[in-house]
């Protein structure tokens, strides 16, 4: 049986990425939370935008009464711990540990993580600590990319803990000088697809991407808190939007693959980069392997950033929509190393073919016109 660790009801000092945290038991149970600090495996990951879930409950089991006049006995079953959902910014400056955790998911070698979520009020006074143990990621959602959006972009991570514990606490989080949560714009993205360099420069929007990891309970034995084992990884399709009329490259690809030949030679590779608009360096990159087109509509109606439901003149914004399936995705902090690209590209083609790169690296969405700048590579 897994051993639970409890924070003692005395003052505790924690190192938190330049944040000094002192916790003590508190008599009061009423509180209002304004900020969430988080750590993974004893290492700080800064602050998250929002937090939800992680509560525990159990089903009520009613035993059959002996007869119509007997009292039905009740008891509870095994505890169930809810998934925890975090929304955090895209910058690795505040979430490098999350990037490593996410990469393990894409590599199909999912890691387990334990940690604490520390809830504070608006003055950074600690109100509660939620511990989670042996958690596995069940879902990652990358935000939609849209050239005209004014909303901030946050990444959502959902994970399933084996068990959680809540501790009412007091104290204060001392923030390190200059430590702030970054606001990343969804306009700063690049999508490149093999052989479609000019066409991808016209992309106006990429819908949100959600990768899901199945989880099964290991309920063999007499343990009260069952471990959760990762199962099948689900790779989603991509939905992208272009200006009305579409593009000749996507049109030709659809004509060939959807209406004509449907062989592996029609599949392509691609890269999505979420980047820093000030430097042009990617926060992270998603490699797309085995990409095929299954839908092409040069004229559709979609409520984009120009459609406001609160306005009387709200109306759908016509655009062109493209549906792409993807066989596999790989996640890399920063920019993908060329050697990695060549190896994975060759493997996806059965050892045939050579990576030729994307001439349209600076194309796609709001990246048009971004100057070439040096970037770090993820190896």
């Amino acid at each position: 049986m897994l051993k639970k660790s409890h924070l003692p009801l005395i003052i505790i000092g924690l190192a938190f990425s330049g944040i000094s945290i002192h916790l003590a038991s508190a008599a009061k149970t009423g509180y209002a939370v304004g900020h969430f600090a988080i750590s993974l495996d004893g290492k700080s990951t800064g602050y998250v935008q929002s937090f939800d879930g992680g509560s525990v409950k159990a089903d009520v089991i009613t035993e059959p009464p002996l007869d119509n006049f007997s009292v039905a006995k009740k008891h509870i079953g095994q505890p169930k711990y809810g998934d925890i959902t975090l929304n955090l910014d895209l910058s690795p400056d505040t979430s490098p540990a999350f990037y490593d955790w996410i990469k393990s998911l894409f590599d199909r070698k999912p890691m387990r993580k334990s940690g604490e979520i520390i809830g504070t009020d608006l003055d950074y006074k600690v109100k509660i600590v939620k511990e989670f143990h042996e958690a596995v990621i069940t879902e990652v959602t990358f935000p939609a990319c849209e050239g005209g959006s004014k909303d901030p972009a946050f990444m959502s991570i959902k994970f399933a803990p084996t068990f959680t514990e809540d501790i009412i606490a007091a104290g204060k989080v001392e923030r390190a000088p200059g430590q702030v949560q970054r606001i990343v714009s969804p306009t700063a993205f690049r999508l490149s697809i093999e052989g479609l360099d000019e066409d991808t420069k016209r992309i106006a929007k990429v819908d949100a991407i959600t990768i899901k990891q199945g989880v099964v309970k290991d309920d063999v034995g007499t343990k009260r808190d069952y471990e959760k084992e990762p199962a099948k990884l689900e790779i989603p399709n991509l939905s992208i939007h272009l200006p009305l009329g579409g593009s000749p490259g996507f049109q030709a690809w659809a004509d060939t693959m959807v209406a004509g030949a449907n062989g592996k030679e029609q599949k392509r590779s691609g890269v999505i980069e979420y980047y820093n608009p000030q430097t042009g360096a990617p926060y992270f990159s998603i490699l797309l392997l085995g990409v095929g087109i299954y839908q092409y509509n040069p004229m559709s109606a979609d409520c984009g950033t120009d459609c406001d439901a609160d306005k009387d003149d709200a109306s759908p914004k016509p655009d062109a929509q493209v549906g792409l399936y993807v066989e596999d995705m790989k996640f890399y902090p920063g920019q993908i190393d060329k050697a990695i690209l060549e190896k994975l590209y060759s493997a996806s083609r059965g050892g045939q073919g050579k990576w030729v790169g994307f001439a349209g690296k600076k194309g796609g969405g709001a990246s048009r016109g971004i100057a070439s700048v040096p970037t770090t590579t993820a190896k």
Side-chain angles (χ1 to χ4, degrees):
M1 180 173 182
L2 292 173
K3 183 179 180 181
K4 298 182 180 181
S5 60
H6 295 270
L7 288 176
L9 299 182
I10 57 176
I11 295 178
I12 301 172
L14 300 176
F16 203 86
S17 182
I19 304 174
S20 176
I21 303 176
H22 298 279
L23 305 178
S25 62
K28 297 182 180 180
T29 58
Y31 57 88
V33 175
H35 304 282
F36 296 103
I38 185 169
S39 67
L40 291 176
D41 293 337
K43 297 180 180 180
S44 112
T45 58
Y47 289 87
V48 296
Q49 176 70 13
S50 63
F51 150 75
D52 186 38
S55 61
V56 58
K57 69 175 184 178
D59 294 332
V60 177
I61 301 173
T62 302
E63 299 178 3
L66 297 176
D67 52 53
N68 292 336
F69 303 99
S70 300
V71 175
K73 300 295 184 180
K74 298 182 180 181
H75 63 89
I76 61 173
Q78 294 284 356
K80 298 179 179 179
Y81 298 91
D83 287 357
I84 294 175
T85 301
L86 303 176
N87 289 322
L88 61 155
D89 66 69
L90 306 181
S91 169
D93 293 342
T94 54
S95 54
F98 279 108
Y99 279 17
D100 292 340
W101 199 8
I102 292 171
K103 190 176 188 305
S104 74
L105 178 74
F106 279 77
D107 291 342
R108 290 174 170 79
K109 299 177 182 179
M111 297 187 297
R112 297 179 182 275
K113 293 286 185 179
S114 300
E116 301 90 22
I117 301 170
I118 301 171
T120 75
D121 61 17
L122 296 176
D123 296 323
Y124 295 93
K125 294 180 180 179
V126 178
K127 296 300 181 181
I128 191 169
V129 176
K130 179 179 287 291
E131 292 184 341
F132 58 88
H133 302 266
E134 297 296 311
V136 293
I137 294 178
T138 59
E139 187 174 300
V140 177
T141 297
F142 300 101
C145 306
E146 186 169 6
S149 176
K150 296 181 176 62
D151 298 324
F154 295 100
M155 178 167 53
S156 173
I157 298 179
K158 181 185 290 186
F159 52 90
T162 297
F163 65 90
T164 63
E165 295 177 288
D166 291 320
I167 301 170
I168 303 299
K172 189 170 183 178
V173 173
E174 299 296 338
R175 304 185 70 191
Q179 186 177 36
V180 296
Q181 185 175 30
R182 296 174 181 267
I183 302 299
V184 178
S185 170
T187 64
F189 73 96
R190 289 185 283 256
L191 170 59
S192 300
I193 298 176
E194 178 188 359
L196 297 171
D197 301 320
E198 293 302 319
D199 301 271
T200 53
K201 291 179 182 179
R202 292 171 50 82
I203 292 175
K205 179 182 178 182
V206 180
D207 287 346
I209 302 171
T210 299
I211 292 87
K212 295 183 179 181
Q213 171 75 71
V215 173
V216 295
K217 289 195 303 182
D218 181 10
D219 54 2
V220 178
T222 59
K223 296 183 294 184
R224 182 154 177 83
D225 297 324
Y226 295 140
E227 290 185 346
K228 297 178 180 179
E229 298 292 341
K232 181 181 178 181
L233 184 67
E234 298 180 16
I235 301 297
N237 297 328
L238 288 184
S239 179
I240 64 178
H241 303 253
L242 299 97
L244 188 64
S247 72
F250 282 108
Q251 176 75 68
W253 190 17
D255 289 343
T256 302
M257 190 166 192
V258 179
N262 187 20
K264 64 179 182 180
E265 66 277 0
Q266 298 297 327
K267 298 177 184 178
R268 307 173 186 238
S269 300
V271 175
I272 299 177
E273 295 174 313
Y274 293 75
Y275 68 90
N276 185 325
Q278 279 72 47
T279 66
Y283 290 127
F284 59 83
S285 305
I286 302 174
L287 178 62
L288 312 173
L289 297 170
V291 182
I293 186 169
Y294 67 88
Q295 181 182 26
Y296 177 79
N297 186 354
M299 184 173 65
S300 65
D302 174 49
C303 235
T305 55
D306 294 341
C307 182
D308 189 339
D310 296 330
K311 295 181 180 179
D312 295 335
D313 60 349
S315 59
K317 175 186 177 182
D319 65 1
Q321 293 187 1
V322 179
L324 304 175
Y325 68 76
V326 183
E327 292 180 339
D328 199 10
M329 295 182 179
K330 298 294 182 181
F331 177 89
Y332 295 94
Q335 190 177 44
I336 308 175
D337 185 83
K338 184 178 179 181
I340 295 175
L341 286 174
E342 292 177 344
K343 180 179 179 180
L344 293 174
Y345 177 78
S346 178
S348 70
R349 296 296 181 93
Q352 302 296 319
K354 183 179 180 181
W355 180 266
V356 295
F358 298 118
K361 268 288 185 182
K362 296 177 285 300
S367 60
R368 292 190 295 267
I370 293 293
S372 177
V373 295
T375 58
T376 57
T377 58
K379 299 181 179 179

